Amino acid sequence: MIRLSPYIFFVGGFLTYASIFFSSATVSMTMSVIGMTISLYIWYILAWNRDRHLATMKKKGYVKPQNCAEQKIAGNSRIWVILYSASYLTMNFAGLYIIRAIIENIDMSLDTMSMEELITLLGSGYVLSSWLFFITGIASIFLYGKLITMLYNDEMKIQSLESKQRNIPVLILKPLSVVIMVIFTLITYGLFSWFMRYRLAAIQRFHNQIEKKLDELEESFKDKAKNIKKEKEEQPSKSISEEILEKYSRSLASSEESDDRKLIIASLFKDLGNLKSDQARSLLNDLLSKQLLTENEFNRLTRLLV
């Protein structure tokens, strides 16, 4: 995931709201544009993190396609961020055009004009911008609610599905009410939106840290299980090797007749086939060191093992 540092929220919020306190139109406009850019960037990163988290959970099998269908979890939320960005920017630029048209064409000291006179004075561009501002404003509110559902509430659903498959806590216990969020955002002039996104970024970051720790533990458990399995697989070979050594130590020690010894050597070679080559050579070395095998017998058996 991409981590969003807390300072980016402070900088973005400061530039967005501090711009209204500057008398210079250029400075105010520049700060406002930078603030909007940071705001939309945060939306996109939150969506990117959400989509990647969902894709990872699907890949690991913690979230099934049928779960997404049942919970109405869409796979791609970034497209909605792009639509929201286009609508939001269009609304703001249309609003700026309206304000500029009013400031440049209307003398505030004059008497109140009728709507027909106002439209005639401002021109068709003002009417078009007004309609564009109204339509994109409604669209932005709808898309904003959609983003809350997809980023915040879907994150709760994904975490809930994941927690059923592995021992991991759900950090979002209740979904947000889209209507209440929209109302609070409008009342606070967008300030509540910054707080919600900051909280969501913190949740994503903390949940990702928990997942990494859990993945490390699971990987450690898997490695231990593999080592135990490997030890168990090797253990029977060691037991067989010891049994063969014990068996033929007695047989070779008590065998002096040539015919019997040949049969014992042949049987030994057959049993050596149940061992790995390095274990078989080690066993022959033990028999040779105990003088239970002659140099000739040792060399012959060693050549046959190759």
Side-chain angles (χ1 to χ4, degrees):
M1 66 167 290
I2 300 176
R3 295 191 176 188
L4 289 168
S5 178
Y7 80 85
I8 197 171
F9 291 90
F10 173 78
V11 173
F14 174 79
L15 292 175
T16 299
Y17 296 104
S19 61
I20 62 177
F21 298 104
F22 287 84
S23 57
S24 172
T26 302
V27 174
S28 179
M29 177 68 70
T30 302
M31 293 178 66
S32 180
V33 170
I34 296 174
M36 283 191 293
T37 303
I38 293 175
S39 177
L40 296 176
Y41 169 77
I42 290 172
W43 276 117
Y44 187 84
I45 296 303
L46 290 174
W48 191 90
N49 288 340
R50 177 261 192 202
D51 292 347
R52 184 175 180 182
H53 183 209
L54 178 59
T56 303
M57 293 302 99
K58 285 182 177 179
K59 185 177 180 181
K60 291 183 177 181
Y62 298 137
V63 176
K64 304 290 191 300
Q66 56 267 29
N67 297 140
C68 295
E70 292 171 359
Q71 299 283 348
K72 297 181 180 179
I73 302 174
N76 188 355
S77 62
R78 284 165 290 177
I79 185 65
W80 292 97
V81 174
I82 294 172
L83 291 174
Y84 172 77
S85 300
S87 177
Y88 181 77
L89 290 173
T90 303
M91 178 190 70
N92 278 275
F93 286 127
L96 290 173
Y97 180 85
I98 293 170
I99 294 172
R100 180 182 176 184
I102 293 174
I103 293 175
E104 291 180 351
N105 295 286
I106 296 179
D107 188 352
M108 296 301 177
S109 62
L110 297 176
D111 295 334
T112 304
M113 292 183 291
S114 65
M115 184 60 66
E116 290 77 8
E117 292 174 333
L118 184 64
I119 293 175
T120 302
L121 181 62
L122 296 177
S124 59
Y126 169 80
V127 177
L128 179 62
S129 297
S130 298
W131 276 107
L132 191 60
F133 178 81
F134 175 76
I135 293 171
T136 53
I138 298 298
S140 296
I141 292 174
F142 168 77
L143 292 169
Y144 175 68
K146 185 70 175 178
L147 291 181
I148 295 171
T149 300
M150 298 191 75
L151 301 186
Y152 197 95
N153 294 345
D154 279 4
E155 181 68 24
M156 181 201 70
K157 296 175 184 177
I158 296 169
Q159 290 185 16
S160 178
L161 291 170
E162 183 184 2
S163 68
K164 293 178 181 178
Q165 302 294 328
R166 62 200 308 212
N167 187 23
I168 191 168
V170 179
L171 301 181
I172 303 177
L173 301 179
K174 293 182 179 180
L176 285 177
S177 170
V178 175
V179 175
I180 293 176
M181 269 298 303
V182 170
I183 293 174
F184 267 92
T185 301
L186 293 174
I187 292 174
T188 60
Y189 193 59
L191 190 61
F192 197 72
S193 171
W194 285 94
F195 170 74
M196 184 274 293
R197 284 178 288 167
Y198 175 80
R199 186 171 185 270
L200 179 57
I203 289 172
Q204 288 182 345
R205 183 170 61 252
F206 186 52
H207 188 78
N208 181 256
Q209 291 174 351
I210 295 175
E211 283 183 327
K212 284 185 176 180
K213 291 293 183 182
L214 192 57
D215 288 340
E216 290 174 1
L217 288 174
E218 289 176 351
E219 192 66 29
S220 176
F221 289 148
K222 287 181 181 178
D223 291 340
K224 288 182 179 178
K226 287 180 181 178
N227 291 334
I228 292 173
K229 184 179 179 181
K230 186 177 180 181
E231 289 175 1
K232 287 182 178 179
E233 289 176 350
E234 292 177 351
Q235 189 63 36
S237 298
K238 292 180 181 178
S239 299
I240 293 172
S241 177
E242 291 172 357
E243 289 176 2
I244 293 173
L245 180 61
E246 184 179 351
K247 173 184 175 182
Y248 288 98
S249 293
R250 292 195 303 266
S251 300
L252 292 170
S254 61
S255 174
E256 296 180 357
E257 296 182 9
S258 178
D259 292 338
D260 290 341
R261 192 171 182 84
K262 287 180 180 179
L263 292 174
I264 293 171
I265 295 297
S267 178
L268 171 61
F269 176 72
K270 180 181 177 182
D271 288 343
L272 289 175
N274 297 324
L275 301 176
K276 296 178 181 178
S277 58
D278 57 338
Q279 292 176 330
R281 288 191 180 89
S282 176
L283 189 146
L284 292 176
N285 283 322
D286 288 341
L287 292 174
L288 180 64
S289 64
K290 294 178 181 179
Q291 297 182 349
L292 297 174
L293 285 177
T294 64
E295 287 285 348
N296 185 38
E297 291 169 340
F298 173 80
N299 292 332
R300 188 166 70 248
L301 288 170
T302 303
R303 285 195 300 271
L304 291 173
L305 288 174
V306 178

